[in-house]
Amino acid sequence: MKRKVLLWLSLALMMASLYLVFIYVPTEKEMGIIQRIFYLMVPMGWLALLAFLIVFIGSILYLVKRTSKWDTLAYCSAEIGIVFTTLTLITGSIWAKPVWGVWWTWDEPRLTSTLILWFIYLAYLIVRSFAIEESRGAVFAAIVGIVGFVDLPIVALATTLWRGMHPGPLIFQGGLAPSMLLTLLVSISAFTSLYILLLIQRVSMKNDEMELSTLKRLSS
Amino acid sequence: MNFWSKVLTIAWKDALSEIRTREIIFSVLVFTLLVIVIFNFAFSANQQMIELVAPGILWVTFAFAGVLSLNRSFIMEKEQACLDGLMMCPVSREVIYVGKMLASLLFMLVIEAIALPGFAFLFNLAVLSPQLIAITVSTTIGFVAVGTLFSALAVNTKAREMVLPILFFPITVPIIISAVQASKLALAGEPWTKLSPWLQIIGTFDIIFLAVSFLVFAFIIEE
Amino acid sequence: MVADNGRPTSSLPSWAIEVQGLTKSFGHQLALTGTDLTVRPGEAIVIFGPNGAGKTTLIKVLATIMKPSAGSVKIDGLNLKDNAEEIRCRLGVVSHQTFLYSNLTAYENLEFYSRMYNVPTRTQRIREVVDMVGMISRLYDRVGTLSRGMQQRLSIARSLIHKPSIMLLDEPETGLDQQATAMLWEALKSEGKEKRTILLTTHNLERGLEVGERLLILAQGKITYDKPKQGLDLSELKEAYQHYTRVKA
């Protein structure tokens, strides 16, 4: 039931944000049509951070309580997070091409930090599969989930200082026009609701997977 | 008091074993010098070019050297289950972390103390400034703080040697960037004030990751 | 500090080892399934079990290097959860792995462990334990150059360095010849007047029957058999062992 509501809510919000992004919001003066990708990229980047925050919280709770539901939550959230980090990187480089003339620029600290983020959470997923026992793999992953998240602000700080502050938080320079802000907010809420839906779905799938493998073991 | 005497006992044991075998320092040192020489070929030894890329070469080399030597740190403890023996001693898990970390720090600093003059000699650079020493020591502390934690994690996985770099490099990116930038400034003869934002990042990283590693280490070694 | 003083003699706990409902799981795999076990101070018990029965897991949990998933463990009346460091001072552990650093000499290894256990009069104590296992002549040799059997003897010396009152022995006879085994058993059993509590795991039934005062069988993560030695003979034990360790289809 809860899932049905979320599904329809996400769908409605997505439709609304598509309408706002492509039809309602005016084209930005300097960057032109490409700026519209911003209403996708920012929510996806935000969602990745939210997902990794959940990984961080889930990891701490798993280490303290040692109940597998927290590990499952962290793991599923990390999967979604890495998908959205990848999408952020892709949309980011689509944006970079017309704006800077290259697919990838090291001059944009947010792009660089996102790439590092991607590597950290890739390690999170890898370390689990390398562990000799499943339960230790979960503990190791939790540790990467904690260490990685604590590292994020320092990564952001270092990459920003590295390339100077130059385009600044270009997004919010002089504030967004109200119509742009509205579009962004609707898009962010659409993606947040999508994230919650995906997380619930993935967690229940993972639980089913585990139940199945338990049953399999018992029957053999 | 008791905490530190046990910590030093563990570090002493590692140092003694290293003096016997020269397993870590000697081989990593040779590796370090080789990497410097190979980089020299890659950038075809033009003095102007060298000055531009030297800080990068230096820190890539030290980061690799760190991974190599930190990997050994816990592999040694896995032979004959020595880590189990350590864990049966009446000390907290944190003592083991700090002891192993101090030993690795010592090894890395010895390697760097020999490699830096070699670097200066081969690249014709004046690297022996107090600024550069401060950068090297503080960055190395950051390396061993996370490296010791991940080394303990890596030996308990199937692909021991592969796991450490996969974890180590992304996490240490901020201090590698900072060390490279600060070294660039130091080599250009800039004063401390110019370096301080970078040193602050390195210092913050060191403190945060010493604390975090200290807190989570027990979870890694306990089954 | 060392275990043999500082313990109030008036209120000696009735159990040296008291295990209740001990469970240890590795993910989905259950190594121990809610087992109980009590050992009186000074008692020597032998736990038999096939490979994978949970013997090593049990020893590791008692030795405080593995955390139990559920259940309680008390050593000398102290709760393992809250007094791990105090308990570690009272335990001596010998396993089929030696816990010795092969690059260090026998003396350096023992010196390291004696420092870790706060042993007073280290030099004297090291000589004492090495003498007990008959290794004085090899004291300054690197452990890596010694034979497997000699390393195992040193490992026993290492386990005794802090005069533990409880010995946990996980198949300690690996690499030892019969003569050495008998000699070492004497060293392990008691020192001076104090008789040690011993928990030995093995799958050698003859040997276990010889040394144990109580014989137990651990199968599928649980103690399923527990008999005093009196009136037990080898064939009876063999029968019981086969009965309890048969894999259920």
Side-chain angles (χ1 to χ4, degrees):
Chain A
M1 190 56 219
K2 209 166 50 183
R3 256 180 261 179
K4 274 256 169 66
V5 174
L6 258 174
L7 177 66
W8 288 110
L9 179 70
S10 306
L11 195 65
L13 280 167
M14 272 298 169
M15 285 309 185
S17 65
L18 279 179
Y19 168 78
L20 291 171
V21 169
F22 287 106
I23 298 168
Y24 165 76
V25 78
T27 304
E28 209 261 345
K29 249 190 297 178
E30 277 167 41
M31 276 180 281
I33 192 83
I34 189 68
Q35 189 266 344
R36 286 174 197 267
I37 209 169
F38 156 87
Y39 304 108
L40 286 181
M41 194 178 79
V42 171
M44 285 195 291
W46 141 256
L47 200 154
L49 282 182
L50 175 69
F52 296 143
L53 174 68
I54 300 294
V55 176
F56 178 63
I57 295 169
S59 298
I60 292 176
L61 288 172
Y62 177 68
L63 286 187
V64 176
K65 302 206 169 157
R66 289 301 171 99
T67 39
S68 66
K69 73 173 178 191
W70 295 115
D71 176 53
T72 309
L73 178 75
Y75 175 72
C76 296
S77 190
E79 273 187 351
I80 301 171
I82 207 149
V83 167
F84 279 91
T85 314
T86 313
L87 289 174
T88 312
L89 287 173
I90 293 171
T91 49
S93 70
I94 292 175
W95 189 356
K97 183 67 180 161
V99 174
W100 287 290
V102 283
W103 289 112
W104 186 265
T105 168
W106 294 100
D107 277 337
E108 169 55 54
R110 269 162 301 207
L111 213 51
T112 315
S113 319
T114 310
L115 183 66
I116 305 303
L117 193 75
W118 189 79
F119 276 116
I120 292 175
Y121 286 91
L122 195 66
Y124 173 91
L125 296 179
I126 287 176
V127 96
R128 182 182 298 264
S129 58
F130 274 163
I132 298 159
E133 292 144 5
E134 218 179 304
S135 58
R136 293 197 92 180
V139 171
F140 293 168
I143 294 208
V144 179
I146 292 169
V147 171
F149 195 76
V150 171
D151 201 30
L152 293 188
I154 312 179
V155 171
L157 192 67
T159 49
T160 311
L161 199 59
W162 179 43
R163 277 314 184 204
M165 301 288 262
H166 64 94
L170 131 157
I171 305 155
F172 297 108
Q173 225 163 35
L176 281 172
S179 60
M180 292 179 172
L181 189 63
L182 175 75
T183 312
L184 184 63
L185 288 178
V186 172
S187 187
I188 285 177
S189 41
F191 273 95
T192 310
S193 131
L194 178 69
Y195 165 72
I196 299 169
L197 178 68
L198 284 175
L199 188 62
I200 293 175
Q201 203 70 14
R202 183 69 186 99
V203 166
S204 85
M205 232 170 94
K206 186 86 192 160
N207 285 336
D208 292 347
E209 267 171 39
M210 287 195 292
E211 200 171 326
L212 260 178
S213 65
T214 318
L215 287 175
K216 249 186 211 163
R217 223 189 346 270
L218 285 178
S219 68
S220 66
Chain B
M1 219 30 242
N2 196 29
F3 180 93
W4 287 104
S5 84
K6 299 290 175 64
V7 161
L8 290 177
T9 304
I10 293 176
W12 163 81
K13 179 263 301 171
D14 276 10
L16 196 62
S17 173
E18 180 57 30
I19 289 169
R20 284 291 145 69
T21 58
R22 294 179 205 91
E23 210 170 44
I24 296 171
I25 293 179
F26 186 68
S27 49
V28 174
L29 197 61
V30 172
F31 167 84
T32 307
L33 293 174
L34 276 174
V35 172
I36 292 175
V37 169
I38 287 169
F39 266 123
N40 203 37
F41 294 137
F43 293 106
S44 68
N46 164 342
Q47 188 61 32
Q48 231 176 344
M49 176 77 122
I50 288 295
E51 266 162 40
L52 210 62
V53 296
I57 294 177
L58 186 67
W59 285 103
V60 167
T61 311
F62 284 168
F64 282 146
V67 165
L68 265 187
S69 65
L70 285 161
N71 244 333
R72 293 299 308 168
S73 172
F74 274 89
I75 286 178
M76 181 171 96
E77 300 289 346
K78 271 287 164 177
E79 286 165 16
Q80 284 305 324
C82 289
L83 188 58
D84 285 354
L86 263 184
M87 288 167 68
M88 286 170 202
C89 294
V91 295
S92 67
R93 309 305 190 209
E94 289 75 26
V95 169
I96 301 176
Y97 169 74
V98 180
K100 294 298 287 178
M101 191 205 65
L102 279 186
S104 292
L105 180 65
L106 179 70
F107 299 162
M108 275 303 289
L109 289 179
V110 170
I111 292 165
E112 288 164 343
I114 304 173
L116 266 179
F119 185 78
F121 174 75
L122 289 173
F123 284 140
N124 241 331
L125 290 168
V127 297
L128 297 172
S129 62
Q131 277 106 322
L132 212 83
I133 292 169
I135 297 165
T136 306
V137 172
S138 58
T139 309
T140 308
I141 292 173
F143 279 174
V144 296
V146 282
T148 303
L149 180 75
F150 288 149
S151 171
L153 191 158
V155 288
N156 288 305
T157 61
K158 277 176 269 182
R160 292 178 173 186
E161 279 89 351
M162 274 315 299
V163 173
L164 183 59
I166 289 174
L167 295 170
F168 181 83
F169 288 125
I171 298 291
T172 52
V173 157
I175 51 168
I176 294 178
I177 293 177
S178 307
V180 171
Q181 296 304 313
S183 307
K184 203 174 262 174
L185 295 171
L187 285 176
E190 299 281 356
W192 287 99
T193 46
K194 281 263 179 131
L195 271 71
S196 80
W198 298 112
L199 287 175
Q200 276 168 18
I201 294 184
I202 300 173
T204 312
F205 184 98
D206 291 357
I207 292 167
I208 290 179
F209 282 98
L210 280 173
V212 171
S213 307
F214 188 86
L215 290 174
V216 300
F217 183 72
F219 293 109
I220 285 188
I221 58 172
E222 258 168 17
E223 281 174 69
Chain C
M1 291 315 287
V2 220
D4 59 352
N5 45 37
R7 194 172 46 193
T9 38
S10 53
S11 62
L12 255 178
S14 45
W15 302 113
I17 300 173
E18 189 181 2
V19 173
Q20 271 176 349
L22 180 63
T23 301
K24 176 69 192 172
S25 62
F26 301 103
H28 300 287
Q29 216 103 38
L30 278 172
L32 294 171
T33 51
T35 194
D36 300 329
L37 169 71
T38 45
V39 186
R40 277 192 308 278
E43 196 177 22
I45 71 159
V46 178
I47 298 179
F48 302 104
N51 292 330
K55 296 187 306 255
T56 298
T57 307
L58 177 65
I59 296 268
K60 281 190 168 180
V61 170
L62 292 177
T64 75
I65 59 175
M66 235 182 219
K67 282 225 162 107
S69 307
S72 81
V73 178
K74 280 185 185 165
I75 307 256
D76 280 348
L78 293 166
N79 204 322
L80 186 127
K81 232 193 216 152
D82 316 311
N83 307 288
E85 282 173 43
E86 172 61 36
I87 286 172
R88 284 183 208 141
C89 292
R90 305 183 180 195
L91 296 176
V93 182
V94 182
S95 132
H96 41 271
Q97 284 169 308
T98 61
F99 314 138
L100 297 172
Y101 295 92
S102 56
N103 295 327
L104 303 183
T105 66
Y107 184 85
E108 286 159 350
N109 266 291
L110 294 173
E111 192 186 357
F112 170 66
Y113 280 107
S114 60
R115 278 174 195 267
M116 293 302 281
Y117 282 99
N118 286 331
V119 174
T121 57
R122 276 197 299 277
T123 338
Q124 194 197 333
R125 181 64 187 159
I126 291 171
R127 291 207 148 257
E128 245 170 65
V129 288
V130 172
D131 197 34
M132 271 185 231
V133 297
M135 289 283 297
I136 279 286
S137 60
R138 308 303 294 269
L139 192 55
Y140 299 103
D141 288 10
R142 264 196 224 186
V143 168
T145 65
L146 301 176
S147 73
R148 183 72 185 81
M150 288 180 182
Q151 289 190 23
Q152 192 62 15
R153 290 192 200 190
L154 266 184
S155 178
I156 291 166
R158 178 200 56 77
S159 74
L160 296 173
I161 195 113
H162 55 295
K163 299 187 181 164
S165 57
I166 299 171
M167 298 301 298
L168 305 174
L169 313 173
D170 186 16
E171 295 177 31
E173 285 142 26
T174 320
L176 292 179
D177 55 45
Q178 288 222 311
Q179 196 195 346
T181 313
M183 184 182 87
L184 294 168
W185 187 254
E186 288 310 309
L188 287 171
K189 246 176 25 193
S190 55
E191 193 174 342
K193 264 180 246 160
E194 185 147 0
K195 197 167 173 254
R196 291 195 172 96
T197 311
I198 293 182
L199 190 157
L200 168 77
T201 73
T202 179
H203 36 224
N204 184 339
L205 296 179
E206 288 90 349
R207 181 82 194 119
L209 189 64
E210 214 173 290
V211 297
E213 294 163 8
R214 224 172 94 207
L215 307 159
L216 298 87
I217 293 172
L218 182 69
Q220 274 138 12
K222 227 173 195 152
I223 302 275
T224 46
Y225 177 90
D226 185 348
K227 285 264 166 74
K229 185 188 182 167
Q230 278 88 3
L232 204 65
D233 64 16
L234 189 60
S235 61
E236 206 175 322
L237 185 65
K238 266 186 182 156
E239 206 172 293
Y241 184 76
Q242 262 160 15
H243 176 259
Y244 284 107
T245 59
R246 197 179 305 131
V247 182
K248 286 175 192 113

